[in-house]
Each structure stands twice: as C-alpha cells, then as structure tokens.
Amino acid sequence: MAEPPAKRPKIVRGEDDYLPGNIVEIELRNFMTFDYLKCKPCSRLNLVIGPNGSGKSSIVCAIALGLGGDPSLLGRATNVGAYVKRGEENGYIKIFLRGDTEEEQIIITRKISTQNNSDWLFNGKAVPKKEILAVTQRFNIQVNNLTQFLPQDRVCEFAKLTPVQLLKETEKAVGDPQLPIQHDALIQKSHDLKIIERSVERNGETLDQLKALNAEQEKDVKRVRQREALLEKAKVMKKKLPWLKYDMKKAEYMKAKELENDAKNKLNEAAKTLNDLKEPIEKQKKDKVALEAKCKKVGSLISDNAKRRMEIMEKETQLEVQAQGKFKEIQDLRKQEASRQQRILRAKEELAAAESELKDLTSYEPPTAEIIKLRASILEIEDSERNLRQQKSEQERSLVQLKMSLHHCVDRLKDMESTKSKLLYALKHSGTEKIYEAYQWLQEHRSALNKEVYGPVLLEVNVSDRDHASYLEGHIPYYMWKSFITQDSGDRDFLVKNLRPFDVPVLNYVGKSGRHKEPLHIPEKLRALGIYSRLDQVFDAPDAVKEVMISQFGLEYSYIGTTETDQKADDVSKLGILDFWTPDNHYRWSRSRYGNHVSGSVDPVDRSRLLLCSSDAGEIERLRSRKKDLEDRISDLEESLKPLQSDIRQIEDEASKLRKRREEIVNTINHHNRKKQEMVNRVDQRKKKLASLQEEDDLDTIVKKLAEQAAGFNAERYKCALRVKELLGEAFSHKRSFADKHMASIEFDAKIREMEISLKEHEKFALQASLHLEYCKKEVEDHRRQLGAAKQQAESVTVITPELEKAFLEIPTTVEELEAAIQDNISQANSILFLNPNILAEYEDRQRQIEAIARKHEADKRELTRCLAEINALKEYWLPTLRNIVSQINETFSHNFQEMAVAGEVSLDEHGSDFDQYGILIKVKFRQAGQLQVLSAHHQSGGEWTLSMKERCFSN
C-alpha cells in the first residue's frame, strides 16, 4: 500500500500582503463598455461591486477571458468577438499576476478581434494558449469553477448544484489539490469493494452446492470408470491392429526390393558387354572422321585452285578489252583532227565579226544637266510634302487626344448621373476615399469567388421613403454602409487580404438566406399610439445583407411612429417598446440588469446624407460644358485636315511625274551601257575559244602514247596465260590425292557396318534386361505405396509412444488373435449398465468447477482485504482534511450571516462508505422563529437564495 501523497506546502502571504497568483493589475482596451481602463485591486480581491452601469460585468468578463476561460462560461456570448467594444475592430486584456516572490511579476495578454481571433502573450512574448493554462494551473486558478469564480450571469447555474456537485467543486477550489483525486479514488474503490463482497458471498454458496452434488454420485462414477477401463483396453488393441498390418506390408515390400536388385545386376552386365563392343567401332569412326577431314582439306585446295584460275582468266579478258579500246581511240583521234581544223577556221570568222560590230557601235552622251535639274525639283517637292505631312500628323495627334478626353468626359458624366456612382461618390466624400477602387476590384475578381459577395452595403439597400431612410441611416453605424458581405469563409479571407489597403470592413454571413419570418403584426394598442411599422420592414436588400443588418443592429426591435407618437412616448415604453422613431426624434430606453429600473434618452433625427444623396450638380454641369467644347474643337480639327490632305495628294502627283521622267533617262543610259558591255564580253569569249582550239595536243604524240599502252596490256595477258598453266598442273595433283583418300573412307564404312550388326544383337539382350528392371521397379513402387498407405493408416489411428509400445507387448501378435481379444473386451464393457450415460462427464466437470471457484474465492478474499486496507488508508487522510476545510468555511459563513442578523451554517453530509453520496449542505434561517433549514427554492425566497449563494462563494 503506497503512502498518501504529501500535503501541498502551505502558502503564506508576502510582505506586500499578496499571495502567489493574486491579480495585481488589470488593463483593458476596447473591451465591452471600456475604451481604456487600468485598475489595481487590493491584495484580497474577492468581490466586484458598484452601481449599475459602472462596468462590473466588464471587469469580471475580462478576468475570466484573460486567464484562459472560454466565452461560454460567462453566459453572455459564445464567441470572443462579441466582447470587442461596438464600433471597434479589436482590443486586448492585460492581467498582471503576483509571482512566487514579490519581485516576480507575470503579465498575461489576450488580444481579441471581431473576427473571433485570439492572440496570447506571456510577458510580452507570443505563446500558445496551453502555456497560459499551465500558468493558471500552477496557481490553482479555476475560472470555470463556480465555487471559486462566480460571474453574475451564472448565479442560477451555481444554484442548480446538488450537495454532491457542490462538494466536488469545493474540493477543486480550495484545500489540497489531491482531495478531488483521493475522493474519486475512494468512490471507485468503494464501488469495487461492493462488487468483491457480493462475489465472495456468491462463490461460497456455489461451492457448498457443487460439493453436495458430487458426494451423491460417487458410486455410479466408480462403475462408469470400470466400463471405461475395458473400452480403453479395447481401444489400445485397436491401435495395434493397423501396425500389425503395416508389418505384413513391410515384409512384402522387402521381397520386391530383392527382385529389383537382381534385375539391376543383370542390366549392368549387359551394359558392360555393350561398352566393350562400342570401343573398336568408335575408334574406326574416329579414323574415318580424320580421313574425311583430309579429303575435305584437299577438296578445299581444289576449289581454291579453280577460283584463282577463274580470277586470272577474268583479268586476261579485261586486259584484252582495254587493249582493243586503245586501238579504237587511235582511230577516233584521226577522225577528230579533221573536225578540229574546221572549228578553228569557224572561230576566227566569228571573232572578226564581233570586233567589227564593236567598232561600228555609235557613242552616247547622257543628259547630265537634265538629271541634276530633276533631282533638285524632286528634293524641293519632298521638303514641301514633309512639311505638310508633319502639320497633318500634329493635327491628327491633337484630334486623338481630344477624342480620348471626350470619351473620359462622357464616361465620367454617365458615372455621375448613375445611382451607384452617386452612392459611391457619397461614401467617398463622407470619409471612405478608396471606395471606388475597392468596388472596381471586386467587379474584376468576381470569377475567383466561391459564392455571391455583396457590397458596399449602401449600394445593396433600397429605401423608398425619405423619413425611413433617415431612421435607417441613424440606426446603422457608418462602418456598415461601406462594408462588404461574403457568404463563404474562403471568400472572406480572400477579401480581407486584398481589400486591406482600401480600408473597408469585410463581414461573413454563415446563416441560411431567406429564412421564413412571420408577417409584421402591429397590435391595436400600438397603432393607437401612432406606431405603424418596424425598422426591418421599411427597406429592401438581398437576404444575406438584410440578415446581417437585422442580427447585428436589432432592427426587429426598433419601431416607427408618427408625430402623435412624440406626445405619447412614455405610454409606448410602458408597452415594452424600448426603441422607436418619430419624424423628429429617436427614443431609446435601457433596463438595468440589477435594479430592473428603466432609463431613457431622446435624440433628434438627422436627415439622410447617404441613402438619399444627390450628385454634385455643379460638377455635372461643368462636365457637360467640357463635353460640348471638346466636340466643337474635334469638328474644327477635322475640317482643317481636309485641305491639307488635298495639298499633299497634289504634291504627291507632281513628284511622281518627275520621278518617272528621271527613271526613263536612267533606264536609257543603263540600256546603252549594257549593250556596249555585252559586245566587249562577246569579243573576249571568242578570243578565248580560238586560243583553246589552237592549244590542243599534237595527234602523232597522242597516237604513239596509245599504242604503247595497248602493247603493255598484251604483255600482261601473256603472263596470265602462263599462270593458268601452272594452276592446271596443281589441280591435277590435288584431284589424284582426293581420289586415294575417298577410296580409303569407303573401306572404313564397310568395316563399321559389320561391327554394328554384332552390336545390335547385344543391344536387344540389354533392352530385355532393362524392361525386366522397369517391371521390378514398378512392383517395388506398388509395394512402397501400399506400405506408405498402411503406415499412414496406422499413424492416423495412433503414434507409438514408449508407454504404448510397452502396452503392445501384452497384446496378441497376430491379426486374428487381436481381433478376437478386441471383441471380448467390448462385450464385457457393454454388460455394465447405468441410468445416466453422462454422469462421469458431469461429475468431472463439476469437480473442475469446484476447483476453479475455490481458487477465485480465495483470490477475492485476498482482494477484499487489500481493498479495505486501501480505503481505510485514503479515508484516514481525506476525511479529516475535508472536515477541517468545511469547518473553516462554516466558520466564515456563520460569522457573515450573524453579522447580517440571520443564521447559517455549512456542514459535511457524510454517508459512511458510500463516498459518492458525500455532499455539502447549506442551512440558513432568515427569521427568528423557526429552525435552520437546508437551502432550497421551496423554503427560501429568491433574494434569500441569491444572497446565500453569493455568501457561500465568498466564504470559499
């Protein structure tokens, strides 16, 4: 048994009167009702009190949220964004805690925003929330424990706590932190103890019943066991029977194996004889193969000789053809010489004619003066044309600029005259300078959005009545009119990221659009006071936009009346209408959460500046005047361009005529020059041709050279003939050798055939021996299969163990004797009769149950002793400590009630070993007559109940 855990060391106050974990300072920014608050509570802060509307709830909420609590524990809102002051985007809570020493200070900061985001800082450094919770756990700060931290809105929850729940929450809030752990352990162990006690009692009764039943059946069990002994002996005999059959099959198998060995020996002798006969045959075959290789080699030499003779004869044929070709060339040259002399004569005549034509060509003088004059005229015209084109280009640029200005002016005028532009213009002049850019950006990126996005809200709302527009604009904050509304969280994040530079809010609507609402019904009492409508009924907007406006600003609770309502405003508020509008005033009432009294305010109605805005009339008139001026200037420029275009066309025609004349003169000069050059080239070509004909080689020299080449070819032919003669002699010698070797190979074939005939006879004998061996092998295989089947059958019946082998020695050794003995034992067993065939199984099963239950019974007794010891050890520490804590609470509680002239006490409701029933009872007495009674809603009034709850919390 482990010793109880050590007590938590006692914490004492320091010289500054603070305990570790006490709140030293609270700083708030844009939180609920506070713009900024900085307060330093004293060392013993336990209650926050003050007049209505002073911000008590705001401070309590800040403590809970700043120390890691969830919004839900405050009973006000489910998300942290609702605690940001209305009209602001973000805020923060900063709480200073006293550390373990006076010098150590802990600063916890929580930054919150309307987007429900929270950022945590510990001593100025960003940390995850789990580190903040570790700090609060270190100082036992439990903002979710109603006995330690009781917000006003959760008093009713505290009142619902049962005595058992009240005890558990008290254990968590004060005293040793081991108390709730020990209490849970005691509850669990007491539950386990009851289960063990019931098990011990139940198992003892079961053991007595089972032992009595077995004592009654012992005689019958003895007879059953005698019968089973006979059957067991017969069963052992049956196990030996397949093994005797196996021994018989084994003897048959061994006999077949001997026959197989004899056949194998005969086959080996036949094989040896065959090998002795095959060796000389193989030798003859090898000799024949060597001889055939020599024949093949000689045949190769013969083929090679024939190939070389063929190559030499082909070379001789080629040499003959070349020699004949040389003789033919000599004949052709003699014929060509006569033709060459005729060509030389003709070339000389053509050269003389070309020189005569070149000499007769007349000279041509180009008109240089006229060309210079034409060039000067063309340059002058081109200068004039360039100037005119420059003027035209400048006027066309001016015209384009004026048309662009006119286009921008028209677009601007349309924008100023359109409804959306008027509204955007009004938003821009009211302080949202970049609303045009934000709206344009949304239009350009709508394809990237998942769902429809609305905005700015001012463009989506339509109000037909001027008074209603003033009411709606006065009720809705300005930031809402410039907001954009999404219906998808991804779209919201996308717009927040990209619209941040334009300073416009982005809201996300996650409800169901177009929810069904009951039609507006104004009771007759209200109609009599001039109330005729409600603020959520006087405007049209997309469902998402309308739902956001109604849910954010409570439009369904703001009513609209007439001038008659001004005179009866007090009567309206008495009917529960706390917000309504008249043509001149806006009435608002607020009800105190504590004293339930009502305070009101009246504000004058300001006329609408956004919903019913109109564009700047002076700006529109100015744009129209500029549009007319631009149109007139464009018309004048277009008229001035027409004569310029005509002058340019006339100058272009004149310049074209001059360029055409200059081109004709240049073409004439080029034609004369080309003709003269062609004649000069013709004379040069004919001179070269004549020189080429005269420089050809002398005929006699060429003929002599060709004759020498032909004689050389004939000498090579003679050498080839001599080489062919030598090769023919070699071929005869090779063929004679081939014939001798071929005859010897034929003799080898005859000898091999004779030896193979003798070999075949011995092969027949060997084949018979092989077939006999195969038959013997088949017989052996059949006996082996039968032996395997017999062994498998015997092993399926039983496997022989040393004990079984010893038993087999006392059993008959033949199949017939064994089968007779089996039948005798079965007959004797069948002669023993009894009524219940399952009595032995029942007896043995019951005996096993007795042994198992006895073991479980002993184990439960040991477990019962151990569990009692653990409970007593835990109870010795837990119960005195708890009694001491409740006594201290009772002392403070009774003292405080006595100070208020009433009586009260807090006591521990003990229930022995039922630790889950332990609780704390609060007893009070508010009247002189009467006794202390347990606090409940049936005996005390609502005020007495609330006072007791708060005093109980304070006593902790």
Side-chain angles (χ1 to χ4, degrees):
M1 176 68 193
E3 294 184 1
K7 293 184 179 181
R8 185 177 64 181
K10 186 177 181 180
I11 302 174
V12 297
R13 296 184 180 271
E15 294 181 0
D16 56 354
D17 199 36
Y18 282 94
L19 285 173
N22 279 169
I23 297 175
V24 178
E25 184 178 317
I26 303 172
E27 182 178 336
L28 307 177
R29 171 75 70 179
N30 295 335
F31 186 82
M32 293 183 68
T33 59
F34 295 113
D35 289 326
Y36 180 76
L37 170 69
K38 189 172 186 179
C39 66
K40 297 183 178 181
C42 64
S43 60
R44 298 175 183 269
L45 168 66
N46 204 1
L47 290 176
V48 180
I49 59 177
N52 290 338
S54 61
K56 303 184 301 298
S57 298
S58 299
I59 295 176
V60 172
C61 292
I63 293 173
L65 296 177
L67 293 176
D70 293 325
S72 57
L73 68 87
L74 296 172
R76 286 175 172 264
T78 58
N79 57 71
V80 75
Y83 291 90
V84 178
K85 185 179 180 183
R86 181 175 292 183
E88 301 294 338
E89 293 293 328
N90 50 58
Y92 69 80
I93 306 164
K94 187 180 292 185
I95 298 179
F96 298 76
L97 300 180
R98 163 71 147 73
D100 292 326
T101 63
E102 186 176 349
E103 292 75 18
E104 181 187 4
Q105 191 176 63
I106 297 171
I107 305 174
I108 298 174
T109 305
R110 182 175 188 175
K111 297 181 178 180
I112 60 176
S113 67
T114 53
Q115 284 78 30
N116 297 326
N117 296 326
S118 290
D119 296 322
W120 296 90
L121 284 80
F122 180 67
N123 290 340
K125 180 181 178 182
V127 295
K129 183 180 179 181
K130 63 181 182 180
E131 292 194 19
I132 303 299
L133 296 178
V135 174
T136 59
Q137 187 176 2
R138 168 186 164 192
F139 294 112
N140 197 30
I141 298 173
Q142 302 175 24
V143 293
N144 59 343
N145 190 332
L146 295 179
T147 64
Q148 187 181 99
F149 184 84
L150 183 60
Q152 173 179 285
D153 297 298
R154 298 188 67 194
V155 170
C156 59
E157 292 184 34
F158 184 86
K160 294 177 183 178
L161 293 178
T162 64
V164 175
Q165 294 172 330
L166 198 58
L167 173 60
K168 289 185 177 180
E169 295 300 323
T170 301
E171 286 177 326
K172 294 177 185 178
V174 296
D176 195 322
Q178 292 295 324
L179 284 179
I181 299 174
Q182 293 170 349
H183 190 181
D184 292 339
L186 284 169
I187 292 172
Q188 181 61 41
K189 290 185 182 299
S190 65
H191 176 70
D192 296 342
L193 180 66
K194 292 176 182 178
I195 294 174
I196 295 170
E197 288 175 343
R198 288 195 296 270
S199 177
V200 168
E201 182 180 356
R202 186 170 57 251
N203 288 338
E205 294 174 356
T206 303
L207 276 174
D208 295 340
Q209 294 173 2
L210 292 175
K211 288 179 180 178
L213 288 173
N214 270 13
E216 294 175 2
Q217 295 180 343
E218 283 182 354
K219 292 181 179 180
D220 292 336
V221 167
K222 184 176 181 181
R223 297 180 67 243
V224 170
R225 285 178 175 168
Q226 183 181 358
R227 181 177 183 275
E228 286 191 348
L230 291 170
L231 291 175
E232 181 63 26
K233 187 174 181 181
K235 184 178 179 182
V236 173
M237 291 179 179
K238 288 181 181 179
K239 290 179 180 179
K240 185 176 180 180
L241 185 61
W243 285 104
L244 287 177
K245 293 180 180 179
Y246 167 74
D247 292 340
M248 293 172 60
K249 291 294 180 182
K250 187 175 182 180
E252 293 175 359
Y253 168 73
M254 296 305 295
K255 185 177 180 180
K257 190 71 176 174
E258 290 176 1
L259 292 175
E260 180 189 12
N261 291 334
D262 292 341
K264 190 180 292 184
N265 292 334
K266 291 179 180 179
L267 180 62
N268 290 337
E269 291 176 1
K272 185 176 182 303
T273 304
L274 282 176
N275 289 332
D276 294 340
L277 291 174
K278 284 181 179 179
E279 286 181 2
I281 294 174
E282 292 298 325
K283 186 175 182 303
Q284 292 290 332
K285 286 183 177 180
K286 288 180 181 179
D287 293 342
K288 180 188 173 188
V289 169
L291 188 61
E292 287 178 346
K294 292 178 180 179
C295 288
K296 188 175 181 182
K297 185 176 180 182
V298 173
S300 223
L301 292 174
I302 292 171
S303 298
D304 185 56
N305 183 278
K307 183 178 179 183
R308 283 186 289 166
R309 282 187 284 119
M310 185 62 68
E311 289 175 353
I312 293 171
M313 290 177 70
E314 288 178 356
K315 183 178 179 183
E316 189 276 335
T317 303
Q318 291 177 359
L319 291 171
E320 181 182 6
V321 171
Q322 290 177 356
Q324 293 294 334
K326 296 300 179 183
F327 288 126
K328 191 171 183 309
E329 284 184 20
I330 292 171
Q331 293 176 1
D332 291 340
L333 283 173
R334 287 175 177 164
K335 291 178 182 179
Q336 290 174 6
E337 177 61 22
S339 175
R340 186 172 74 87
Q341 293 298 330
Q342 292 178 0
R343 281 187 281 125
I344 290 172
L345 181 60
R346 190 163 47 254
K348 287 179 179 179
E349 291 175 354
E350 290 175 353
L351 176 58
E355 289 175 344
S356 175
E357 187 178 358
L358 178 59
K359 184 178 180 181
D360 293 341
L361 182 64
T362 58
S363 61
Y364 174 75
E365 292 294 334
T368 306
E370 185 178 358
I371 291 174
I372 292 172
K373 184 179 179 182
L374 286 171
R375 185 182 293 115
S377 300
I378 290 171
L379 289 173
E380 184 180 353
I381 290 174
E382 286 178 347
D383 287 340
S384 300
E385 182 183 0
R386 192 180 300 108
N387 292 333
L388 289 174
R389 286 190 180 279
Q390 187 174 1
Q391 294 178 23
K392 180 188 174 187
S393 178
E394 291 175 355
Q395 291 188 10
E396 286 177 343
R397 280 199 299 272
S398 300
L399 183 62
V400 170
Q401 291 176 355
L402 289 173
K403 286 183 176 179
M404 288 179 64
S405 298
L406 178 62
H407 179 69
H408 291 317
C409 184
V410 170
D411 290 345
R412 178 65 178 155
L413 188 59
K414 288 181 180 178
D415 289 342
M416 291 292 290
E417 291 175 345
S418 68
T419 303
K420 285 189 176 181
S421 294
K422 290 179 182 179
L423 296 174
L424 289 172
Y425 185 81
L427 279 175
K428 180 177 180 181
H429 281 271
S430 63
T432 311
E433 298 180 355
K434 296 185 178 181
I435 194 64
Y436 271 112
E437 292 82 350
Y439 178 75
Q440 189 62 34
W441 185 93
L442 177 61
Q443 304 311 311
E444 293 172 357
H445 294 82
R446 282 193 180 275
S447 59
L449 301 173
N450 299 322
K451 293 185 178 180
E452 182 66 26
V453 174
Y454 303 101
V457 170
L458 184 63
L459 275 63
E460 309 292 347
V461 175
N462 181 28
V463 186
S464 58
D465 187 271
R466 299 185 67 88
D467 289 337
H468 294 166
S470 299
Y471 304 158
L472 188 62
E473 190 172 329
H475 195 91
I476 303 296
Y478 172 73
Y479 80 89
M480 187 62 189
W481 299 115
K482 64 178 182 179
S483 300
F484 290 80
I485 296 178
T486 64
Q487 301 180 79
D488 180 82
S489 59
D491 292 345
R492 176 199 59 200
D493 296 342
F494 181 62
L495 262 66
V496 167
K497 178 180 178 182
N498 291 281
L499 294 182
R500 186 175 289 112
F502 304 123
D503 189 30
V504 292
V506 178
L507 306 177
N508 189 46
Y509 173 66
V510 295
K512 295 183 178 179
S513 298
R515 63 178 181 179
H516 177 72
K517 289 189 175 181
E518 296 295 332
L520 176 64
H521 174 69
I522 304 295
E524 289 300 327
K525 292 182 179 179
L526 291 178
R527 291 188 180 277
L529 299 175
I531 300 295
Y532 64 90
S533 185
R534 207 168 56 200
L535 203 53
D536 62 333
Q537 304 291 321
V538 299
F539 70 97
D540 295 323
D543 291 339
V545 176
K546 197 163 186 175
E547 290 293 334
V548 170
M549 294 176 68
I550 292 173
S551 62
Q552 289 284 332
F553 308 111
L555 301 182
E556 70 268 37
Y557 304 116
S558 183
Y559 288 78
I560 301 173
T562 61
T563 53
E564 182 183 358
T565 312
D566 273 323
Q567 302 170 3
K568 303 176 181 180
D570 292 336
D571 296 334
V572 174
S573 64
K574 292 176 182 178
L575 294 177
I577 305 300
L578 303 180
D579 189 302
F580 61 91
W581 298 80
T582 66
D584 297 321
N585 297 306
H586 179 202
Y587 294 86
R588 284 177 293 184
W589 277 268
S590 60
R591 188 181 302 277
S592 171
R593 188 176 296 176
Y594 311 109
N596 208 29
H597 64 273
V598 177
S599 60
S601 64
V602 182
D603 298 315
V605 176
D606 295 327
R607 296 302 97 189
S608 171
R609 295 181 297 106
L610 297 176
L611 288 169
L612 300 177
C613 68
S614 59
S615 300
D616 190 344
E619 178 68 12
I620 294 175
E621 188 59 34
R622 186 183 65 79
L623 289 172
R624 288 175 179 169
S625 175
R626 176 168 172 74
K627 175 174 173 287
K628 182 66 172 60
D629 180 54
L630 289 171
E631 288 173 347
D632 294 340
R633 290 173 63 187
I634 289 170
S635 178
D636 294 341
L637 271 176
E638 288 176 346
E639 289 297 327
S640 64
L641 278 172
K642 292 178 181 178
L644 269 177
Q645 187 68 28
S646 177
D647 293 342
I648 291 171
R649 194 178 300 111
Q650 185 176 358
I651 289 174
E652 286 177 347
D653 293 341
E654 186 177 350
S656 177
K657 291 177 182 179
L658 293 173
R659 290 191 188 96
K660 185 176 181 182
R661 173 60 185 159
R662 184 179 64 177
E663 186 177 352
E664 289 175 353
I665 294 172
V666 171
N667 288 340
T668 302
I669 294 172
N670 290 339
H671 175 70
H672 184 269
N673 291 338
R674 274 199 307 275
K675 185 176 181 182
K676 183 177 181 180
Q677 186 63 36
E678 288 173 358
M679 289 182 178
V680 172
N681 291 340
R682 194 180 301 122
V683 170
D684 291 339
Q685 289 175 1
R686 291 179 179 178
K687 285 181 179 180
K688 290 178 181 179
K689 182 178 179 182
L690 180 59
S692 174
L693 289 172
Q694 290 175 347
E695 289 176 358
E696 290 185 4
D697 293 337
D698 183 34
L699 179 62
D700 293 338
T701 303
I702 295 172
V703 170
K704 182 179 179 182
K705 186 177 180 181
L706 291 173
E708 290 175 355
Q709 291 176 357
F713 290 144
N714 286 328
E716 290 292 328
R717 289 176 64 201
Y718 178 70
K719 292 178 181 178
C720 289
L722 294 177
R723 181 61 181 155
V724 168
K725 182 180 178 182
E726 293 175 0
L727 291 173
L728 285 172
E730 290 179 3
F732 177 75
S733 175
H734 291 323
K735 286 184 178 180
R736 185 170 183 176
S737 174
F738 180 79
D740 292 340
K741 291 178 174 57
H742 185 62
M743 290 301 295
S745 176
I746 292 173
E747 291 178 1
F748 275 116
D749 284 339
K751 291 180 181 179
I752 290 170
R753 276 196 299 273
E754 290 176 1
M755 296 173 74
E756 285 179 345
I757 290 171
S758 176
L759 180 65
K760 286 180 180 178
E761 292 178 357
H762 286 83
E763 283 179 347
K764 288 180 182 179
F765 177 75
L767 179 61
Q768 292 175 357
S770 175
L771 292 174
H772 180 63
L773 177 62
E774 291 298 325
Y775 172 77
C776 291
K777 286 182 177 180
K778 185 177 179 183
E779 287 293 316
V780 170
E781 185 62 30
D782 289 342
H783 285 293
R784 181 184 290 111
R785 265 197 311 274
Q786 293 174 12
L787 181 62
K791 185 177 181 181
Q792 186 176 4
Q793 174 65 25
E795 289 178 342
S796 67
V797 173
T798 184
V799 177
I800 296 178
T801 62
E803 295 80 7
L804 195 60
E805 187 176 4
K806 184 178 179 181
F808 281 174
L809 296 176
E810 301 173 359
I811 297 174
T813 57
T814 63
V815 174
E816 293 78 7
E817 292 176 353
L818 187 60
E819 288 177 344
I822 291 170
Q823 189 61 40
D824 290 343
N825 280 275
I826 292 174
S827 299
Q828 291 179 25
N830 291 335
S831 64
I832 299 174
L833 301 175
F834 48 87
L835 297 176
N836 185 1
N838 298 323
I839 190 169
L840 180 60
E842 292 176 359
Y843 180 86
E844 292 177 346
D845 182 57
R846 195 178 296 114
Q847 190 64 32
R848 285 192 294 273
Q849 290 182 26
I850 290 171
E851 294 172 358
I853 294 173
R855 288 194 298 270
K856 180 70 168 55
H857 188 58
E858 291 300 323
D860 286 346
K861 286 181 178 179
R862 291 193 297 272
E863 182 64 19
L864 181 62
T865 303
R866 186 190 64 80
C867 193
L868 281 170
E870 290 181 355
I871 290 174
N872 291 331
L874 284 171
K875 186 176 179 182
E876 286 175 3
Y877 175 79
W878 173 76
L879 189 56
T881 305
L882 185 60
R883 286 170 177 169
N884 184 37
I885 290 171
V886 174
S887 175
Q888 293 176 11
I889 295 173
N890 176 55
E891 183 179 347
T892 305
F893 187 79
S894 300
H895 174 74
N896 292 339
F897 262 52
Q898 187 177 0
E899 290 293 324
M900 292 184 288
V902 292
E905 70 175 27
V906 177
S907 61
L908 179 64
D909 186 18
E910 300 183 18
H911 288 269
S913 61
D914 294 331
F915 297 101
D916 56 343
Q917 300 297 321
Y918 275 59
I920 286 182
L921 296 178
I922 302 175
K923 297 180 180 180
V924 294
K925 183 178 74 170
F926 287 93
R927 298 163 184 83
Q928 290 294 332
Q931 301 294 326
L932 286 169
Q933 293 181 339
V934 176
L935 181 66
S936 70
H938 303 290
H939 297 94
Q940 287 80 27
S941 65
E944 293 170 347
W945 175 264
T946 304
L947 174 63
S948 302
M949 291 296 100
K950 290 188 176 182
E951 181 55 40
R952 168 64 179 81
C953 183
F954 177 73
S955 300
N956 269 359

